[in-house]
Amino acid sequence: STVVLVFEAPENFQFTIEPGQYVKMGQPLGVI
Amino acid sequence: VRKAWEDTPIKWSPIPIGLGLAFIAFLQYSKIMKRESEKDHDPSKALIVGPWHVHVISELPLKTISRLWGAFNSITLPVWFRVPGFKLYSWIFGCNLEEMKDPDLTHYKNLSEFFYRELKDGARPINFDAALVSPSDGRVFHFGLVDGSRVEQIKGMSYSLNQFLGSQKASETAEIIKATHSANIVDEEEFAEVNGISYTLDSLLGYDKESTIEHKKQDSQGNIVPDIEADQKSKKSDYRDELQMRPGNALFFCVIYLAPGDYHRFHSPTNWVAETRRHFSGELYSVSPWMVKQLQDLFVLNERVVLLGRWRHGFFSMVPVGATNVGSIVLNFDKELRTNRREDVHHRGQGELVYSGASRLLNGQPLQVGEEMGGFKLG
């Protein structure tokens, strides 16, 4: 199963993750 | 026949110009018609494109297999088998048994219950400082900017955002966003209740009420008084402005893959309001990284629940996508939702899969960061 997020955000939004990284629920995905 | 073949003289003669032109026109017309039909491809249809083994997999009755898998795993297991059985499953798929809410394995009647296990309170601390947190446990498959109206599945392979979110034919992504929001504008004074606590939608979304301009007017005696009517009008238009794609904003996406051993409930990744739920009863291909690399349009083909809404920065959507082993998607706030049903009819033909989609307004379901929204169940 997969969860996909599609969202509008300011252009300075930055993902704080790497492809292939294992994340747990509640861990940050991005910051503005 | 041989005599006729050998003795019949061949007489070459020019083709009439009109006939030649008609033939060329026919060829050109066919080409244009083919091109136009590809351009007007119905967005409710997705093409199965991939190597030969993908086509073989696409012919399997995956939904039936998924339902059988679910039914099989709902059989109550004998108590003596539960501990060794679940421990074996955990060893194979790497489940962490120490973080389960109920650590007694004999309490889980079958694999379905174990698969949908809850976690201990505090097992997943929420980072409240981040703009966005992970909605589930899993591996980050891909993330980035939405390029025009296409989302990159893997490098060099993308799918249409319109198809993924379920737009009407020829509509643009911006129009979906606009339509979604304007379809169900929630009055700003409306209160939302989450876990027994009341919030205004403004506070939940983080809109700054203090910044609203107060309008003044002169009354009949020349005194300056607040203009309530102008204020209300202004607030309404401010709301509409909020619901448009704002200047300086962009569309982003992020895909998280849940492996069979992961905790299979999903939570709200931010404070937002879900306004529409769209259920697309597609196929149930595996969404493993291998399959994602093989099958173009995988996320458009698979059964999914599209939740559309807004957060403090504008449009927000979250889409749980089903797979062969986990065909059942559950939403805690929408008990009417039923996925992977036998009644959902699919039509196949010439490599195309036609799926049905159903929308439902959620009347502004407020969701707090970290709040459990639902999950994936076996079968």
Side-chain angles (χ1 to χ4, degrees):
Chain A
S1 40
T2 309
V3 177
V4 182
L5 303 175
V6 180
F7 54 94
E8 180 187 349
E11 282 170 356
N12 63 351
F13 177 86
Q14 283 190 327
F15 285 102
T16 53
I17 44 175
E18 296 291 328
Q21 183 186 334
Y22 188 83
V23 287
K24 288 187 175 178
M25 190 276 285
Q27 270 185 244
L29 290 182
V31 291
I32 295 170
Chain B
V1 169
R2 195 175 67 187
K3 192 172 182 295
W5 179 258
E6 287 171 356
D7 297 345
T8 305
I10 297 168
K11 188 185 173 190
W12 294 95
S13 58
I15 296 170
I17 290 172
L19 187 64
L21 287 176
F23 180 68
I24 290 167
F26 172 74
L27 282 183
Q28 195 63 15
Y29 176 76
S30 306
K31 208 182 279 180
I32 290 167
M33 288 302 285
K34 194 180 170 194
R35 190 178 64 205
E36 289 301 311
S37 68
E38 282 169 4
K39 196 193 285 178
D40 290 342
H41 177 66
D42 188 339
S44 66
K45 296 173 182 178
L47 288 170
I48 297 168
V49 180
W52 65 270
H53 38 273
V54 169
H55 288 271
V56 172
I57 293 169
S58 75
E59 291 305 317
L60 295 172
L62 295 171
K63 297 199 84 166
T64 307
I65 292 169
S66 181
R67 280 194 292 271
L68 287 173
W69 175 244
F72 174 72
N73 285 303
S74 298
I75 297 168
T76 303
L77 297 170
V79 178
W80 63 265
F81 182 74
R82 293 177 193 174
V83 175
F86 296 146
K87 279 192 172 172
L88 178 67
Y89 181 90
S90 305
W91 179 73
I92 294 169
F93 294 107
C95 311
N96 185 355
L97 300 179
E98 288 177 5
E99 57 188 17
M100 289 162 62
K101 193 168 192 175
D102 184 357
D104 189 344
L105 293 176
T106 57
H107 291 173
Y108 299 90
K109 286 181 191 165
N110 46 50
L111 186 61
S112 289
E113 279 193 10
F114 176 75
F115 188 82
Y116 203 62
R117 63 194 175 275
E118 283 184 272
L119 297 183
K120 277 182 197 167
D121 293 337
R124 294 285 181 273
I126 311 293
N127 187 318
F128 291 100
D129 296 329
L132 197 67
V133 299
S134 179
S136 63
D137 285 7
R139 205 161 286 285
V140 176
F141 191 78
H142 204 23
F143 61 85
L145 265 170
V146 175
D147 181 17
S149 63
R150 297 199 70 81
V151 183
E152 197 171 66
Q153 185 165 311
I154 53 165
K155 208 159 180 65
M157 202 191 275
S158 65
Y159 54 90
S160 158
L161 181 65
N162 286 350
Q163 274 182 277
F164 183 61
L165 297 180
S167 74
Q168 296 303 308
K169 194 175 177 183
S171 71
E172 299 295 331
T173 307
E175 284 175 11
I176 307 173
I177 297 166
K178 196 175 154 189
T180 304
H181 291 316
S182 60
N184 192 15
I185 293 170
V186 182
D187 189 87
E188 68 159 2
E189 292 302 322
E190 194 171 316
F191 280 76
E193 195 171 295
V194 182
N195 299 333
I197 306 164
S198 293
Y199 302 87
T200 62
L201 293 177
D202 270 340
S203 65
L204 191 77
L205 290 169
Y207 292 151
D208 185 8
K209 282 183 94 170
E210 300 301 318
S211 64
T212 309
I213 300 163
E214 284 187 5
H215 293 79
K216 309 278 185 190
K217 67 174 181 183
Q218 275 190 326
D219 64 7
S220 55
Q221 294 168 348
N223 298 321
I224 305 290
V225 291
D227 188 345
I228 296 162
E229 201 180 317
D231 263 354
Q232 282 175 344
K233 211 177 271 180
S234 166
K235 277 177 189 171
K236 288 245 184 267
S237 64
D238 285 347
Y239 246 103
R240 290 199 173 86
D241 289 344
E242 291 284 356
L243 303 176
Q244 308 292 323
M245 186 96 164
R246 301 174 194 177
N249 275 7
L251 270 183
F252 297 84
F253 74 95
C254 182
V255 185
I256 295 168
Y257 166 68
L258 288 77
D262 289 331
Y263 167 63
H264 261 75
R265 294 179 187 228
F266 48 79
H267 296 242
S268 175
T270 188
N271 291 331
W272 66 297
V273 173
E275 295 180 331
T276 309
R277 177 265 281 168
R278 290 176 174 178
H279 169 218
F280 294 95
S281 57
E283 269 298 332
L284 282 172
Y285 295 105
S286 162
V287 288
S288 66
W290 178 83
M291 196 63 182
V292 171
K293 285 174 190 165
Q294 300 298 315
L295 179 58
Q296 192 176 327
D297 282 345
L298 173 62
F299 293 111
V300 177
L301 287 163
N302 261 22
E303 180 150 17
R304 63 198 181 281
V305 176
V306 177
L307 293 166
L308 299 164
R310 61 200 162 101
W311 69 325
R312 61 181 305 170
H313 302 291
F315 170 73
F316 195 88
S317 69
M318 182 169 163
V319 188
V321 183
T324 319
N325 62 331
V326 281
S328 298
I329 300 168
V330 179
L331 285 180
N332 296 350
F333 52 85
D334 187 359
K335 301 295 179 194
E336 286 180 22
L337 176 67
R338 293 282 181 279
T339 60
N340 196 9
R341 297 185 312 167
R342 194 183 298 177
E343 303 88 89
D344 294 328
V345 182
H346 298 261
H347 312 279
R348 284 168 180 277
Q350 297 183 341
E352 283 186 332
L353 184 81
V354 185
Y355 54 80
S356 57
S359 291
R360 181 167 180 260
L361 291 177
L362 297 170
N363 296 321
Q365 174 67 40
L367 296 156
Q368 268 191 302
V369 60
E371 181 186 341
E372 187 186 308
M373 292 172 62
F376 298 97
K377 288 187 173 179
L378 288 178

